[in-house]
Amino acid sequence: MRIEYGHFTEQVRGVSNILVTGGAGFIGANFVLDWIAVESSPIVNLDKLTYAGNLGNLSNLKHDPRHVFVKGDICDRARVARLLAEHRPSAIVHFAAESHVDRSIHAPAEFVQTNVTGTFSLLEEARAYWSSLAEPEKSRFRFLHVSTDEVYGSLGPDDPAFTENTPYAPNSPYAASKAASDHLVRAYHHTYGLPTLTTNCSNNYGPFQFPEKLIPLMIVNAVQGRPLPVYGDGLNVRDWLYVGDHCAAVRLVLHKGRPGETYNVGGNSEKTNLEVVKTICTILDELRPLRSLPITHNPSPIARYSSLVTFVRDRPGHDRRYAMDAGKMAAEFGWKPGERFETGVRKTVQWYLDHMDWVQNVTSGAYRNWIDLNYGSRKIGNGE
Ligand code: NAD
Ligand code: DAU
């Protein structure tokens, strides 16, 4: 890995680069690691290193010249223009975003800035760069925008899963900012012919997910003997996909997707939040029995992790159910998730148990302020 904080001095030559944004975050880092392992062509990774970005996620690439890390903001158009001119990527894979729904409720401005203005800036610079390319590079260029199922809104218990034709109905500031970015991407294809691709994916889980999201938060709280805060009645449903399967889907769409198209990616694995939390508790009961914890982490002492489950006040505007119909991915590319939830979540729990140093690292400092802000005001509740 080469780290560029200022000007670029050399390029990785030979094979064409791709430019990844947000490649130090959860999905982006998994994508970068997979890409280097599977595709082996070089990556330029532009990431602002917000609280959610962590170079430690990429430490396996420390000595790999195929990965060039650039600390920078996608809103910095001059920086993006320079990057494109110097590295001349054959594709942009755009992960960078503010991604946590609860944070978007507390402080939406940053979501509009990065997700809407940032995507707009990237599209503008991508358009200028792409227009300057000669054939065959011009026809080969792709702008792949990574988005979410949340743009479609919320499903009732018996509604069919979201398809690519489901009308947009975003409900949180996060979802609205992602919907806006999706619309901009669509417009840049329709108006300027920019060869865009959009993937809309369901909830991911796996290694390197920041412990503000449900699965890592529950694992980390549990092993620290803290309450497991379940919003509302715990019966909201999410469609869980192992992150490696998402990365494989993005690679496929990049190689085979038709410009201008959108592709829904999902785990075909709907679970209530309570089911997810209880599954994690059962796995932890087996892998790290509570009686084995130091007394400071289990002062009660309680025997089972599930006794830490605490119902707290609901998320405002909490979407009830998401489910993705990934039939287009299956029909066009033969893609389906490789990992079952039961095996994927077990691997994930084990990963966190094996990487408590990573957890310590990312949860120092500002993390505690966030936990106090988000959970301090959530009185213990009864689902209201
Ligand atoms: P994340 O929050 O873990 O990581 C986001 C990364 O983007 C971080 O490394 C951060 O430093 C970087 N970043 C933020 N603002 C930036 C800016 N202005 N300029 C450059 N870099 C910036 O997010 P994630 O969960 O890995 O999600 C990645 C993408 O996938 C997002 O676009 C998200 O909307 C989408 N997505 C996520 C999920 C999920 O379940 N996590 C599901 C579907 C889609
Ligand atoms: O659906 C895809 C989306 O999934 C992505 O676009 C987002 O970036 C990603 O954050 C995720 O959004 P969710 O809001 O679904 O994920 P989160 O992990 O925050 O919450 C999952 C469910 O668990 C949700 O119903 C809220 C609930 N929850 C969450 C937390 C953090 C709790 O009950 N307690 C909690 O402490």
Side-chain angles (χ1 to χ4, degrees), residues 6-142:
H7 246 293
F8 316 111
T9 47
E10 55 175 300
Q11 286 183 45
V12 182
R13 294 191 189 279
V15 207
S16 60
N17 290 314
I18 63 165
L19 171 65
V20 167
T21 70
F26 162 49
I27 304 173
N30 277 283
F31 178 84
V32 168
L33 292 167
D34 277 11
W35 180 275
I36 295 285
V38 177
E39 306 271 343
S40 86
S41 58
I43 281 189
V44 181
N45 182 357
L46 173 65
D47 195 298
K48 188 179 171 183
L49 294 183
T50 67
Y51 78 93
N54 179 7
L55 269 184
N57 300 353
L58 300 161
S59 58
N60 280 358
L61 300 177
K62 210 182 277 176
H63 304 296
D64 197 321
R66 292 169 299 177
H67 177 238
V68 177
F69 182 78
V70 180
K71 184 177 188 308
D73 191 329
I74 56 167
C75 300
D76 180 349
R77 284 182 58 175
R79 190 76 192 274
V80 171
R82 230 168 38 230
L83 254 183
L84 292 171
E86 296 195 30
H87 290 271
R88 307 198 66 73
S90 60
I92 298 174
V93 184
H94 176 34
F95 292 97
E98 288 294 332
S99 69
H100 190 33
V101 173
D102 292 319
R103 287 190 194 251
S104 84
I105 294 167
H106 284 279
E110 205 55 43
F111 287 71
V112 173
Q113 177 63 12
T114 284
N115 300 1
V116 186
T117 308
T119 301
F120 166 71
S121 303
L122 208 56
L123 282 165
E124 274 291 88
E125 293 310 324
R127 178 166 77 93
Y129 166 70
W130 169 73
S131 302
S132 76
L133 292 175
E135 294 296 352
E137 285 76 18
K138 188 169 185 181
S139 300
R140 285 195 195 133
F141 181 79
R142 296 286 183 271

Side-chain angles (χ1 to χ4, degrees), residues 331-364:
E332 292 199 15
F333 312 132
W335 178 89
K336 60 178 174 33
E339 191 75 56
R340 285 189 311 117
F341 181 74
E342 291 66 26
T343 49
V345 81
R346 178 174 284 271
K347 282 205 299 205
T348 304
V349 171
Q350 188 66 62
W351 186 89
Y352 280 88
L353 292 178
D354 292 343
H355 293 84
M356 286 315 280
D357 51 341
W358 180 90
V359 172
Q360 293 298 340
N361 202 21
V362 303
T363 56
S364 57

Side-chain angles (χ1 to χ4, degrees), residues 2 40 103 111 117 163 185 199 206 303 321 339 358 369-370:
R2 190 155 54 81
S40 86
R103 287 190 194 251
F111 287 71
T117 308
T163 72
V185 171
T199 54
R321 174 178 165 238
E339 191 75 56
W358 180 90
N369 302 340
W370 164 250

Side-chain angles (χ1 to χ4, degrees), residues 99 148-150 174 203 214 229 231 238 273 315 318 375:
S99 69
T148 172
D149 58 2
E150 302 206 8
Y174 163 71
N203 285 64
L214 180 74
Y231 296 166
R238 297 292 183 264
N273 294 335
R315 173 186 279 175
H318 196 175
Y375 297 96

